[in-house]
């Protein structure tokens, strides 16, 4: 065989091998799922990196996924979950509740009824108990504010339970941010992962009991499923915030406006089945090794130090290179007092090949830098002058 023919044959075989390898690699990746929901998103919980999305920024009705925020506000602001709450007339008259006026439940039991059975009256009872004026509208405004602080800037709440209201809107991406935030709360995770619970309360006739079963059917049927919240109204269609864990990886999904109440579960299972084979987590820098200082206006504190809420992890897709990950920070130079330990003061931004793929809260340390700093004072004056001249 001539030398040219040998070279040509070797080259041809190399090309064929490369083509076969590429086709095999692509064939190994699962096809994106075909789901019925109008909007959806799937992310890895610790990084927030998006694995799949469909109309994720379209304004939609969230139905009872709303109750995630109601629950979070109670967990974060109610001092004693064992303290009693009395059900008022407005809560008792709400659609789809079994509660009666004068029933007395602990806040913890109200949250179990709220999240497991999606009781709308429980949401109103929580709202009234947490608002000095007992104004549900005022509580809904605080829910919107909380959503915005989480980063859900396209969300507006008009009530604490998700009953239809033209002013009560969000997006799948915003619901994902709220669900992901909730997932960092241990008590929140415990509640939404509870399959059955015996609810106890008191009324004029004495001690009462009721068996609760979680409305999330996937808790009983999908391996690794551990939350989060169902939703259904005629206006919103089938909705579900889901969370499932396999091999140390937790995925969070949102589906909105599935055609019926069963499609939301099928859609969620399809998203999870699609996501788990695609990704793996590797360790990045630990939170103790990352810190940033911020200057503080007023209140006798001139500086706070912030660390990430959790260790950095990198979510790798097939073919990703860990060396292409970087971290940056989205934080102001100054924050205004008052500020306390645990408050969010910015974001650590995870980048892959220069593109944002996730965020982690940067939270203030409990130890504050008290006193007066000439540097802080000078920078404060400079920032104010610059702001006023640009205003």
């Amino acid at each position: 065989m001539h030398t040219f023919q040998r070279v040509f044959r070797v080259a041809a075989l190399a090309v064929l091998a490369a083509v076969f390898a590429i086709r095999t690699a692509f064939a190994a990746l699962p096809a994106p799922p075909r789901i019925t929901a109008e909007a959806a998103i799937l992310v890895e919980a610790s990084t927030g990196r998006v694995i799949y999305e469909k109309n994720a920024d379209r304004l939609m009705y969230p139905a009872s996924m709303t109750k995630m925020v109601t629950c979070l506000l109670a967990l974060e602001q109610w001092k004693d979950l064992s303290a009693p709450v009395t059900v008022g007339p407005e809560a008792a008259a709400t659609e789809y509740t079994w509660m009666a006026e004068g029933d007395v439940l602990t806040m913890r039991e109200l949250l179990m009824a709220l999240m497991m059975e999606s009781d709308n009256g429980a949401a109103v009872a929580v709202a009234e108990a947490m608002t000095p004026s007992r104004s549900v509208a005022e509580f809904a405004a605080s829910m919107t504010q909380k959503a915005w602080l989480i980063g859900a800037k396209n969300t507006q709440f008009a009530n604490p339970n998700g009953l239809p209201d033209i002013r009560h809107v969000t997006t799948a991406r915003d619901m994902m941010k709220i669900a992901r935030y909730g997932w960092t709360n241990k008590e929140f995770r415990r509640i939404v992962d509870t399959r059955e619970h015996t609810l106890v309360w008191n009324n004029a006739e004495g001690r009462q009991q009721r068996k609760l079963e979680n409305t999330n059917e996937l808790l009983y049927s999908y391996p690794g499923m551990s939350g989060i919240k169902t939703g259904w109204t005629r206006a919103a269609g089938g909705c579900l915030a889901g969370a499932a864990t396999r091999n140390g990886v937790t995925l969070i999904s949102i589906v909105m406006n599935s055609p019926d109440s069963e499609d939301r579960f099928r859609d969620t299972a399809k998203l999870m089945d699609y996501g788990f084979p695609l990704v793996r987590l590797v360790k990045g820098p630990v939170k103790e090794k990352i810190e940033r200082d911020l200057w503080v206006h007023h209140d006798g504190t001139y500086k706070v130090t912030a660390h990430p809420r959790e260790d950095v992890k990198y979510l790798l897709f097939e073919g990703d290179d860990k060396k292409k990950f970087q971290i940056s920070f989205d934080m102001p130079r100054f924050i205004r007092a008052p500020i306390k330990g645990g408050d969010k003061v910015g974001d650590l931004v995870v980048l892959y090949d220069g593109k944002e793929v996730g965020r982690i809260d940067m939270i203030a340390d409990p130890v504050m830098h008290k006193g007066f700093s000439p540097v802080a004072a000078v920078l404060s004056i400079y920032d104010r002058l610059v702001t006023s001249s640009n205003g």
Side-chain angles (χ1 to χ4, degrees):
M1 183 182 294
H2 295 300
T3 301
F4 175 77
Q5 290 176 315
R6 285 199 299 270
V7 171
F8 179 80
R9 176 173 290 184
V10 170
L13 289 172
V15 170
L16 287 172
V19 170
F20 177 78
I22 292 171
R23 291 182 65 181
T24 301
F26 276 106
L29 297 177
R34 299 182 66 180
I35 61 174
T36 64
E38 181 181 347
I41 192 167
L42 176 70
V43 305
E44 191 280 321
S46 66
T47 65
R49 191 172 182 184
V50 176
I51 302 169
Y52 170 93
E53 62 179 278
K54 173 185 177 183
N55 300 325
D57 297 307
R58 180 173 293 177
L59 284 177
M60 311 278 288
Y61 296 124
S64 286
M65 290 193 300
T66 298
K67 296 182 176 93
M68 291 190 292
V69 181
T70 306
C71 181
L72 284 167
L73 284 177
L75 291 176
E76 292 179 352
Q77 298 178 13
W78 191 263
K79 291 182 180 179
D80 181 7
L81 294 179
S82 64
V85 176
T86 301
V87 176
E90 185 175 348
T94 304
E95 275 186 88
Y96 305 115
T97 186
W98 53 265
M99 295 182 181
E101 182 178 355
D103 285 349
V104 180
L105 302 85
T106 66
M107 178 60 82
R108 179 176 285 107
E109 293 289 74
L110 273 177
L111 296 182
M112 298 300 287
L114 175 83
M115 298 301 284
M116 289 182 63
E117 205 172 60
S118 207
D119 190 286
N120 290 326
V124 174
V126 170
E128 291 182 330
M130 293 189 60
T131 311
S133 64
R134 296 186 67 81
S135 167
V136 174
E138 186 178 329
F139 182 78
S142 69
M143 292 172 63
T144 299
Q145 183 181 34
K146 180 65 178 180
W148 290 357
L149 288 172
I150 292 171
K153 303 287 186 165
N154 294 309
T155 295
Q156 180 77 37
F157 293 121
N159 58 60
N161 45 37
L163 288 172
D165 189 306
I166 196 171
R167 302 164 299 166
H168 194 96
V169 293
T170 186
T171 67
R173 195 180 309 279
D174 274 10
M175 280 287 105
M176 174 273 293
K177 292 176 181 178
I178 291 167
R180 187 175 165 233
Y181 175 85
W183 206 245
T184 65
N185 186 303
K186 183 178 180 180
E187 184 65 13
F188 181 87
R189 294 197 306 271
R190 185 194 70 80
I191 292 172
V192 301
D193 189 32
T194 304
R195 289 154 177 78
E196 295 181 353
H197 175 72
T198 301
L199 191 76
V200 178
W201 77 98
N202 290 290
N203 60 20
E205 298 176 358
R207 181 183 172 91
Q208 307 294 325
Q209 291 187 354
R210 175 189 176 92
K211 183 178 179 181
L212 299 181
E213 293 185 356
N214 203 304
T215 56
N216 183 358
E217 294 178 8
L218 293 179
L219 288 175
Y220 306 89
S221 61
Y222 190 88
M225 185 63 61
S226 49
I228 300 175
K229 187 68 194 77
T230 57
W232 168 262
T233 66
R234 289 187 181 276
C239 299
L240 180 62
T245 302
R246 290 184 188 173
N247 300 319
V249 175
T250 298
L251 303 184
I252 290 177
S253 63
I254 303 291
V255 297
M256 304 182 74
N257 197 22
S258 291
D260 62 45
S261 59
E262 291 303 313
D263 281 328
R264 58 185 170 168
F265 299 121
R266 287 188 283 266
D267 285 344
T268 298
K270 287 179 182 178
L271 289 172
M272 296 297 181
D273 286 344
Y274 172 71
F276 279 119
L278 283 180
V279 300
R280 62 187 176 92
L281 276 176
V282 297
K283 293 181 179 179
V286 297
K287 59 185 179 182
E288 290 80 9
K289 298 291 185 180
I290 304 170
E291 67 177 37
R292 277 292 188 274
D293 291 333
L294 295 91
W295 303 106
V296 180
H297 286 304
H298 309 307
D299 197 37
T301 299
Y302 72 89
K303 188 173 70 171
V304 297
T305 299
H307 288 85
R309 188 182 297 276
E310 57 194 32
D311 295 343
V312 177
K313 297 175 183 177
Y314 300 132
L315 185 73
L316 271 65
F317 290 90
E318 189 69 31
D320 280 354
D321 181 357
K322 182 182 176 181
K323 295 178 181 178
K324 292 186 178 181
F325 281 99
Q326 297 175 309
I327 60 173
S328 65
F329 298 90
D330 182 5
M331 302 177 68
R333 183 163 62 169
F334 268 97
I335 54 176
R336 294 193 177 276
I339 184 77
K340 64 182 185 300
D343 284 352
K344 179 179 176 179
V345 293
D347 292 292
L348 179 151
V349 183
V350 181
L351 305 168
Y352 181 78
D353 204 17
K355 295 181 180 179
E356 181 180 330
V357 294
R359 286 179 177 246
I360 299 173
D361 292 347
M362 293 290 291
I363 58 174
D365 287 353
V367 178
M368 302 289 166
H369 300 270
K370 297 290 186 180
F372 175 78
S373 167
V375 174
V378 170
L379 288 174
S380 175
I381 294 170
Y382 172 78
D383 279 2
R384 290 178 186 179
L385 289 173
V386 170
T387 301
S388 63
S389 65
N390 291 337

